[in-house]
Amino acid sequence: MKILVPIKRVPDPATTIRVLSDGSGIATDNVKWVINPFCEIAIEEALRIKEKQTGEVVLISVGQSTWQEQLRTGLAMGADRAILVKTDAALDSLAIARIIAKIAGDEKPELIILGKQAIDDDANQVGQMVAEVLGWPQATFASKVDITADKISVVREVDGGLETIAFKMPAVITSDLRLNEPRYASLPGIMKARKKELKEIAADSLGVDLAPKLKIKTLAAPPKRQGGRKIASAQEMVSLLHTEAKVI
Amino acid sequence: MGDVLIFAEHQGGHFPKATLTAVHAGLDLAKKRGGKAIAVVAGDAPEAAAGEIAKYGVAKVIALAHPALKNYLADAHAQALAALAKKEGAEFIIATATAMGKDLFPRLAARLGAAMASEITAINDDGTFVRPTYAGNVMATVEIDGPIKVLTVRGTAFDAAKPGDSAAPVEKQNAEIDAGALKMEFVSFNATKSDRPQLTEARIIVSGGRGLKAAENFKTVLEPLVDELGAAMGASRAAVDAGFVPNDLQVGQTGKVVAPELYIAVGISGAIQHLAGMKDSKVICAINKDEEAPIFAVADYGLVADLFKAVPEMTEEIKKLKHS
Ligand SMILES: Cc1cc2nc3c(=O)[nH]c(=O)nc-3n(C[C@H](O)[C@H](O)[C@H](O)COP(=O)(O)OP(=O)(O)OC[C@H]3O[C@@H](n4cnc5c(N)ncnc54)[C@H](O)[C@@H]3O)c2cc1C
C-alpha cells in the first residue's frame, strides 16, 4: 500500500515561545526545530502499516529549504522517499491542503495520514481539508486503525468517549496522541536516509491557487496570570476557597 | 451581508453549554456586522431540538433534515451545511470547537473554498478575530478574506447564550445531499461511563496527574474529593497515557480546554501543554510536593505537600464544612 504522510516543521514543544516586540513573528534564535509531534505519530502509523502489508511511505512537506532537515529525519525513521514543495510564502491551511491534494493526484496513495494538529498554529484543519478537496472519507483524531482487505475501521477520540467509523480506501486519517509511540531514527536508518530520494518541487509550479485568505495581522503575548501564593495546610486551603475565593 | 449561520450541535436534542457559547458568539458577530443570526440544527428529525434553540435570541432556526444526518459523519454534514450556507447567503458560519466542530468545519471550509479561523477567543470591532497559537502562548489577530468565512469558537472564551421569553420561527428544510458521494459509515459509539458532570460543563474540576501513580489511586484518593465537591474529573496527558483514566479526560493544548470557577490540579507539574487547557480558570489551586513545579506560578492557592496526605485532608475538611 502506498501511504502519503504530510509533515510540518515546528519549534520543539519544550521551547518557551517569545513574541517579537513588533508583533511580526516569534523569536527564532534559540529555537530547536523538530517534526511536529502529531506528524511523527502519523509517520509511525504509516511505517507500521507498511511493515505489515508491504508498500511505500512517501513524506511531503510544504515549506522552505530548511524543512529538508525534518524530511531527512522522517526518512531515517524509515520512510522511503520525500517531496519538498518549496515556498517562502506564508500559505494558509486551504492552500497547503490543495497542494497536498494535487501531489496525491499524481502519487495516487491509498492512504494519507497526517497529524491532527500542528503545535505551532494549533489550527487542526489540513487533514480535513485534504479529504474534502479529494472527495475522500476522513477519520480525524484516530486512536486505533484497523485495515482489512480494502476497508478501514478507525477508533476516534471524541467528546464523551470513543467512536468507531469505517470506510473504503482511499482515505485520510489524522492521528491523535495515543495512536502509537513513534520510534527514534536508528544510526543505520540515518545513514540510509542520506541516500534516499528527496525531490523538490516549486509550489508555484503546481497551478494551485496559493493566495492566502487567512492572514495574520499581528501576534501578541497573552495576559499573564498572577499566581504563586503558597498556603500552609489543606485545612487553610479549604477555608480560603470557602471564605475568600467563595468557590466552595 | 453580515448574516451568520450558527451550527447548533446537539446531543440527542439537548444543547450542551459548549453549543450555547457559539450561539452567543454568533449573535455578537451578527450584531457587529449588521446581519441576522440564523441557527441550524441538523439531524434526521431535528424539529424538536430546533424549537429548543429558537428561544436563544436568533432571528430564525433552520431544522435541516435528511436521513443521512442521523449519526454525525463529516462528509454528509459538510455537504448539507455548505449547500445551506450558499442558499442562505451567509457571510459567516460558526460553531464551537468541540470534537465535532473541529472535525467538520475545516471540511466545510474546503467545500466552500473558504478560509477558516480555528478556536477564536475574541471578535474585534474592526473585522478581525483573535485566536490562540503555540499552546496559548501567542495570541494571533487574524483577518479572513472572501465572501464566506468559517469560524470555530473556543467555548471557554464566550458566555453561554441565555433563553428569552419569545421563540424565533423554525423553518424545516430538506438537506441537499448527494447520497452517492457519501463514503463514511458510522459503526459505534462507546461512551465513557460517568455520573459526574462533563469537563466543559462543570463549575469545579479536579484533575490528577502522574503524581497519582496508579489508576487505583484516582479511585481511592482523588474521586472522594471530586465527588465531595460535585466536580468533574480531569487529568494530565501523562495520567491518560499511563492508562489511569479515559482519554477524553485529558485537559490541555491537545485535549479539552476548560475554564471552570475552580480548577484543582493534583500531582500535575504544569507543563505548558497542560496550562494551555486550564489557565483561564477563575481560581486555580495546586497540590504538588515539588515547590518548584511550574503549576504554582499560575495557582492562586498552592499547597506544597504530599498529595496522598493532603487530598484526604481536604476531602475531610470539605465534609466538615458542609455539615457545619
Ligand atoms: C504534542 C504534545 C501535546 C501535549 N498535550 C498535552 C495536553 O493536552 N495535556 C497535558 O496535560 N499534557 C500534554 N502534553 C504533555 C506535557 O508536556 C507533560 O508531559 C504532561 O502534562 C505532564 O503530566 P503530569 O504533570 O501529570 O506529569 P509530570 O510532569 O511527571 O508531573 C508529575 C507531578 O507530580 C508531582 N508529584 C509526584 N508525586 C507526588 C506526591 N506524592 N504528592 C504531590 N505531588 C507529587 C511531581 O512533583 C510532579 O510535579 C503534551 C506534550 C506534547 C509533546
Side-chain angles (χ1 to χ4, degrees):
Chain A
M1 184 183 327
K2 193 195 255 192
I3 307 174
L4 196 63
V5 183
I7 67 169
K8 186 173 188 184
R9 170 182 163 104
V10 299
D12 184 294
T15 314
T16 307
I17 299 294
R18 221 166 28 79
V19 181
L20 294 173
S21 56
D22 65 357
S24 64
I26 60 156
T28 52
D29 33 321
N30 290 307
V31 170
K32 183 183 154 212
W33 298 93
V34 298
I35 301 176
N36 176 44
F38 288 97
C39 301
E40 253 181 335
I41 297 171
I43 298 173
E44 177 64 34
E45 195 63 19
L47 293 174
R48 289 186 190 187
I49 294 169
K50 177 189 141 175
E51 282 157 8
K52 269 193 228 142
Q53 327 216 336
T54 75
E56 191 184 22
V57 175
V58 183
L59 306 178
I60 166 171
S61 267
V62 183
Q64 297 170 308
S65 308
T66 47
W67 291 40
Q68 281 194 12
E69 225 179 285
Q70 280 65 42
L71 288 169
R72 284 280 173 220
T73 306
L75 292 172
M77 283 173 73
D80 298 288
R81 58 191 171 86
I83 301 167
L84 175 63
V85 180
K86 251 177 83 172
T87 176
D88 290 329
L91 303 182
D92 65 13
S93 301
L94 188 55
I96 289 167
R98 284 174 169 152
I99 290 171
I100 293 168
K102 173 89 186 178
I103 302 284
D106 300 334
E107 291 281 344
K108 304 198 174 22
E110 277 93 0
L111 263 183
I112 303 179
I113 310 181
L114 312 85
K116 78 163 178 180
Q117 86 191 63
I119 59 157
D120 52 0
D121 59 25
D122 282 334
N124 194 335
Q125 297 182 355
V126 173
Q128 297 89 312
M129 288 177 164
V130 170
E132 175 58 36
V133 174
L134 291 166
W136 291 5
Q138 73 185 46
T140 53
F141 325 146
S143 69
K144 191 164 183 295
V145 176
D146 273 317
I147 304 183
T148 52
D150 64 340
K151 206 165 184 183
I152 296 198
S153 106
V154 181
V155 179
R156 306 180 54 232
E157 295 197 19
V158 299
D159 297 333
L162 295 172
E163 180 193 77
T164 306
I165 59 173
F167 39 69
K168 291 200 167 100
M169 289 177 271
V172 173
I173 293 173
T174 78
S175 61
D176 216 314
L177 282 174
R178 281 161 285 272
L179 181 57
N180 60 50
E181 189 134 348
R183 69 194 69 185
Y184 290 103
S186 65
L187 198 58
I190 294 168
M191 302 302 288
K192 266 197 231 157
R194 294 193 186 142
K195 295 198 201 80
K196 288 180 179 170
E197 179 187 307
L198 197 167
K199 186 164 80 177
E200 287 194 7
I201 303 175
D204 50 20
S205 72
L206 291 171
V208 173
D209 175 10
L210 301 179
K213 287 199 185 109
L214 182 78
K215 291 181 191 141
I216 297 173
K217 308 291 285 182
T218 171
L219 302 179
K224 220 171 140 59
R225 192 179 174 108
Q226 285 304 330
R229 178 170 166 198
K230 297 269 170 56
I231 308 304
S233 70
Q235 287 76 12
E236 193 188 344
M237 176 80 95
V238 171
S239 160
L240 284 169
L241 290 176
H242 181 59
T243 55
E244 187 182 88
K246 297 187 168 54
V247 287
I248 62 172
Chain B
M1 278 296 282
D3 286 357
V4 180
L5 200 59
I6 305 164
F7 175 64
E9 174 181 346
H10 62 103
Q11 294 167 351
H14 160 78
F15 293 97
K17 184 179 163 207
T19 298
L20 300 178
T21 61
V23 173
H24 182 110
L27 289 169
D28 183 37
L29 180 59
K31 198 164 142 205
K32 284 186 169 143
R33 303 293 185 271
K36 290 195 300 293
I38 304 165
V40 50
V41 181
D44 57 338
E47 295 87 341
E52 199 45 47
I53 206 72
K55 298 171 194 156
Y56 285 81
V58 293
K60 149 170 115 171
V61 181
I62 297 169
L64 192 63
H66 195 285
L69 300 176
K70 181 169 192 283
N71 288 308
Y72 166 74
L73 286 167
D75 55 357
H77 274 71
Q79 276 199 29
L81 286 181
L84 182 71
K86 282 193 201 144
K87 191 166 146 218
E88 294 290 323
E91 182 179 355
F92 301 95
I93 176 157
I94 190 166
T96 311
T98 56
M100 191 189 293
K102 289 178 185 174
D103 183 56
L104 174 60
F105 266 49
R107 185 162 188 134
L108 172 62
R111 193 165 181 92
L112 290 164
M116 168 170 169
S118 301
E119 296 202 43
I120 59 163
T121 54
I123 298 167
N124 292 332
D125 290 331
D126 66 357
T128 58
F129 302 97
V130 179
R131 57 175 306 269
T133 61
Y134 294 94
N137 288 301
V138 179
M139 303 304 284
T141 299
V142 300
E143 182 181 72
I144 308 177
D145 288 345
I148 180 151
K149 303 162 181 77
V150 179
L151 302 161
T152 56
V153 306
R154 177 163 280 193
T156 54
F158 296 89
D159 293 333
K162 295 210 167 55
D165 298 330
S166 59
V170 174
E171 183 182 304
K172 187 179 170 189
Q173 292 196 22
N174 292 321
E176 286 172 35
I177 293 178
D178 169 9
L182 299 180
K183 293 173 181 158
M184 298 168 60
E185 177 196 332
F186 173 83
V187 178
S188 63
F189 178 60
N190 190 352
T192 307
K193 286 186 192 66
S194 170
D195 298 329
R196 302 198 177 91
Q198 289 179 26
L199 273 174
T200 47
E201 307 257 319
R203 197 179 69 81
I204 301 178
I205 295 174
V206 180
S207 284
R210 192 181 343 240
L212 265 296
K213 296 200 172 66
E216 186 56 27
N217 297 331
F218 265 84
K219 290 218 160 47
T220 55
V221 181
L222 206 64
E223 289 189 9
L225 176 62
V226 173
D227 292 335
E228 201 55 56
L229 289 167
M233 191 161 79
S236 70
R237 173 186 174 183
V240 176
D241 281 0
F244 299 167
V245 291
N247 298 353
D248 69 317
L249 296 192
Q250 181 179 315
V251 171
Q253 179 189 19
T254 58
K256 296 233 161 45
V257 177
V258 299
E261 275 183 44
L262 173 62
Y263 188 91
I264 305 180
V266 179
I268 292 178
S269 61
I272 48 170
Q273 291 86 4
H274 189 79
L275 300 184
M278 45 64 77
K279 70 177 160 58
D280 294 325
S281 303
K282 202 164 141 244
V283 175
I284 296 174
C285 197
I287 302 173
N288 196 304
K289 68 176 180 189
D290 171 12
E291 65 175 314
E292 301 290 322
I295 190 75
F296 287 125
V298 300
D300 303 286
Y301 303 103
L303 179 59
V304 182
D306 183 342
L307 71 91
F308 294 102
K309 184 166 169 289
V311 173
E313 282 176 5
M314 268 186 84
T315 311
E316 266 319 299
E317 208 52 33
I318 291 163
K319 261 190 206 149
K320 277 194 225 158
L321 192 69
K322 277 199 193 154
H323 295 297
S324 66

